[in-house]
């Protein structure tokens, strides 16, 4: 708080929470001396949906290897990068960290393959979007408190999750539903903390997915150095460590890449803040542009890396085969739960709405909360 910049989000100036928590244990000090954004972060960490991320796909579906990343470890890595950038820029580190930790909570099992299956299942009922599902999970499906649904997060937290990639002109049904309860000002830009959380996500998965791809044998250094900016970095690393075998230098490449991207974001964001004349958090939202992010030069390189990763890792034949199987698992389960809802756990089956679209959305809520291994277990139990 002491070194925060004026354009940072200040918990003392928060727009509040949907439910007034009144004089509870919070006021008495029983639950510790934390501000609102610290509480948001802690509520995420202690949530059931956050714990489930440890068994949800990041790159590889239900990875057999203990060393591959999952949604949980990815979220922790994003938080580390986000917090580093936030500190350098004088932003609120707790809000940035909370946004980073929560950003993937709405992902269903099997990553984008599972999301595609749910999108198809809900095609006639508003579709499925993991970002909006994150907010739905945190505002309705999590229920640790006796007097309200959800985690009762601050406006700034929900706003950042809703529009970390910029203004939302056409919200999905789930986001529109959340916005009707608490106006998130969807047409404006988000806080700098949310902008930094978004770019930290890009930095983390762009580089850590390289590590996982090489570890799985689906990527090689020879492929990577076809990208000029990777080749330049790799040549420099080999010159610095001429007596070290290449396999051990992959980690150095990833560290260097992350460092270059982080430094670029810090320098670029500082420059844009200076040029735009932004001085307050409200100025950030009214700036009409994304202030926190890559320079144009780095953005071009980052897009080239993403294109490479899609061509060589995400759309690798082995990955596509696994994704096809995963889509079948999710699609089969949605279909059987629609036909025989009694196969769902008792609480979910008893609370199933009788009319559409609420009925299929309820099933999607159940499905989206599944981990990879639980979805596989349910499918095996029903279909063999």
């Amino acid at each position: 708080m002491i070194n925060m910049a004026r354009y940072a989000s200040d918990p003392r100036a928060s727009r509040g929470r949907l439910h007034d928590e009144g004089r509870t244990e919070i006021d008495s000090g029983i639950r510790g001396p934390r501000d609102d954004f610290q509480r948001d972060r802690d509520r995420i960490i202690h949530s059931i949906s956050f714990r489930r991320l440890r068994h949800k796909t990041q790159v590889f579906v239900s990875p057999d290897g203990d060393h591959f990343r999952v949604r949980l470890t990815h979220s922790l890595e994003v938080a580390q990068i986000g917090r580093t950038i936030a500190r350098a820029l004088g932003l609120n580190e707790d809000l940035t960290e909370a946004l980073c930790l929560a950003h993937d909570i709405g992902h269903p099992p099997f990553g984008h393959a599972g999301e595609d299956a749910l999108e198809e299942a809900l095609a006639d009922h508003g579709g499925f979007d993991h970002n909006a599902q994150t907010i739905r999970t945190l505002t309705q499906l999590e229920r640790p408190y006796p007097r309200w649904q959800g985690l009762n997060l601050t406006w700034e937290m929900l706003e950042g999750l809703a529009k970390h990639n910029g203004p939302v002109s056409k919200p999905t049904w789930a986001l529109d539903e959340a916005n009707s309860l608490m106006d998130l000002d969807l047409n404006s830009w988000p806080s700098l903390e949310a902008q930094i959380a978004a770019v930290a996500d890009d930095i983390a998965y762009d580089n850590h997915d390289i590590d996982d791809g090489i570890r799985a044998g689906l990527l090689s250094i020879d492929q990577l150095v076809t990208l000029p900016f990777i080749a330049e970095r790799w040549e420099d690393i080999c010159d610095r460590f001429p007596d070290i075998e290449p396999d051990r230098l992959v980690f150095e490449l990833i560290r260097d890449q992350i460092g270059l991207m982080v430094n670029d974001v810090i320098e670029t964001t500082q420059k844009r803040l200076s040029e735009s004349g932004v001085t307050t958090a409200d100025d950030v939202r009214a700036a009409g542009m994304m202030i926190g992010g890559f320079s144009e030069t780095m953005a071009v390189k980052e897009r080239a890396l993403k294109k490479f990763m899609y061509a060589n890792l995400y759309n690798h034949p082995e990955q596509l085969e696994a994704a096809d199987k995963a889509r079948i698992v999710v699609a089969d389960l949605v279909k059987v739960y629609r036909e025989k809802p009694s196969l769902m756990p008792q609480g979910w089956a008893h609370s199933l709405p009788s009319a559409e679209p609420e009925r299929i959305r309820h099933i999607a809520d159940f499905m989206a909360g599944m981990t990879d291994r639980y979805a596989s277990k349910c499918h095996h139990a029903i279909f063999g």
Side-chain angles (χ1 to χ4, degrees):
M1 291 282 296
I2 295 175
N3 297 318
M4 278 205 322
R6 289 180 60 195
Y7 47 74
S9 297
D10 188 340
R12 296 168 298 186
S14 171
R15 301 193 193 183
R17 306 180 187 275
L18 177 60
H19 303 288
D20 180 11
E21 299 189 353
R23 293 197 56 81
T24 64
E25 289 87 347
I26 291 175
D27 301 291
S28 68
I30 290 175
R31 295 181 183 172
R34 297 170 294 161
D35 64 41
D36 279 344
F37 297 157
Q38 289 174 312
R39 293 185 190 281
D40 279 354
R41 178 202 58 207
D42 297 347
R43 290 178 186 192
I44 295 298
I45 290 173
H46 289 283
S47 68
I48 292 174
S49 52
F50 183 70
R51 294 198 292 275
R52 285 198 297 254
L53 294 179
R54 73 186 184 273
H55 292 301
K56 288 195 175 189
T57 293
Q58 176 60 21
V59 176
F60 299 105
V61 173
S62 297
D64 293 327
D66 292 337
H67 297 168
F68 291 115
R69 287 167 175 83
V70 291
R71 289 284 169 192
L72 179 61
T73 56
H74 165 69
S75 298
L76 293 172
E77 290 167 339
V78 174
Q80 179 270 313
I81 293 170
R83 190 149 197 156
T84 296
I85 299 173
R87 181 172 300 178
L89 293 172
L91 301 178
N92 188 288
E93 294 179 42
D94 297 312
L95 178 58
T96 305
E97 183 181 19
L99 290 165
C100 292
L101 292 172
H103 80 282
D104 270 351
I105 276 176
H107 268 286
F110 311 122
H112 293 289
E115 182 166 6
D116 290 344
L118 289 180
E119 169 64 25
E120 183 176 350
L122 273 72
D124 295 331
H125 301 287
F128 180 89
D129 170 60
H130 75 264
N131 188 52
Q133 188 68 23
T134 292
I135 297 175
R136 182 170 169 82
T137 300
L138 297 176
T139 57
Q140 296 190 47
L141 304 182
E142 281 283 342
R143 298 181 181 182
Y145 297 102
R147 291 187 294 156
W148 53 72
Q149 296 178 175
L151 300 184
N152 201 31
L153 301 172
T154 62
W155 182 91
E156 289 76 14
M157 181 70 185
L158 296 177
E159 178 228 21
L161 291 171
K163 53 183 182 176
H164 56 272
N165 289 321
V168 181
S169 58
K170 296 180 179 179
T172 61
W173 67 268
L175 182 53
D176 189 56
E177 185 177 69
N179 190 60
S180 68
L181 297 174
M182 194 175 196
D183 186 0
L184 300 175
D185 195 13
L186 295 178
N187 293 320
S188 71
W189 290 85
S191 66
L192 261 179
E193 286 82 2
Q195 296 180 33
I196 294 308
V199 74
D201 182 28
D202 287 335
I203 294 172
Y205 79 74
D206 282 343
N207 294 286
H208 292 142
D209 288 0
I210 291 175
D211 179 21
D212 281 357
I214 290 176
R215 188 181 299 277
L218 303 186
L219 289 180
S220 70
I221 288 294
D222 288 340
Q223 289 175 293
L224 282 162
V225 295
T226 60
L227 295 170
F229 64 97
I230 296 285
E232 179 183 354
R233 183 58 33 210
W234 183 247
E235 183 178 346
D236 176 69
I237 291 169
C238 290
D239 288 343
R240 281 156 44 199
F241 303 98
D243 301 324
I244 305 298
E245 59 269 26
D247 286 351
R248 288 192 61 193
L249 298 181
V250 171
F251 301 110
E252 195 69 16
L253 172 65
I254 292 167
R255 283 191 291 269
D256 276 11
Q257 284 290 118
I258 291 174
L260 286 170
M261 288 184 169
V262 166
N263 289 335
D264 179 84
V265 169
I266 293 170
E267 293 167 8
T268 301
T269 304
Q270 288 172 332
K271 181 180 178 181
R272 289 174 183 164
L273 283 165
S274 177
E275 292 175 348
S276 65
V278 163
T279 59
T280 69
D282 286 339
D283 290 344
V284 171
R285 293 186 174 91
M289 60 179 284
M290 190 72 86
I291 294 174
F294 295 122
S295 65
E296 187 52 43
T297 299
M298 183 59 76
V300 170
K301 295 177 180 179
E302 195 266 345
R303 286 194 293 270
L305 178 56
K306 270 194 173 67
K307 183 177 180 181
F308 170 89
M309 295 295 282
Y310 271 96
N312 294 280
L313 179 60
Y314 307 137
N315 291 329
H316 188 282
E318 289 186 23
Q319 290 287 83
L320 295 178
E321 181 182 357
D324 286 342
K325 293 178 179 178
R327 273 191 291 270
I328 291 172
V329 168
V330 175
D332 283 351
L333 288 175
V334 172
K335 185 174 185 294
V336 76
Y337 291 145
R338 293 187 79 171
E339 295 171 352
K340 299 179 180 178
S342 61
L343 293 175
M344 290 192 293
Q346 187 177 46
W348 285 94
H350 285 177
S351 58
L352 181 68
S354 58
E356 299 290 6
E358 290 78 12
R359 187 179 179 85
I360 186 59
R361 290 173 180 175
H362 181 85
I363 294 171
D365 286 338
F366 174 53
M367 290 297 308
M370 286 185 173
T371 61
D372 292 14
R373 67 179 188 177
Y374 182 63
S376 297
K377 177 182 176 181
C378 291
H379 191 271
H380 182 76
I382 296 171
F383 297 97

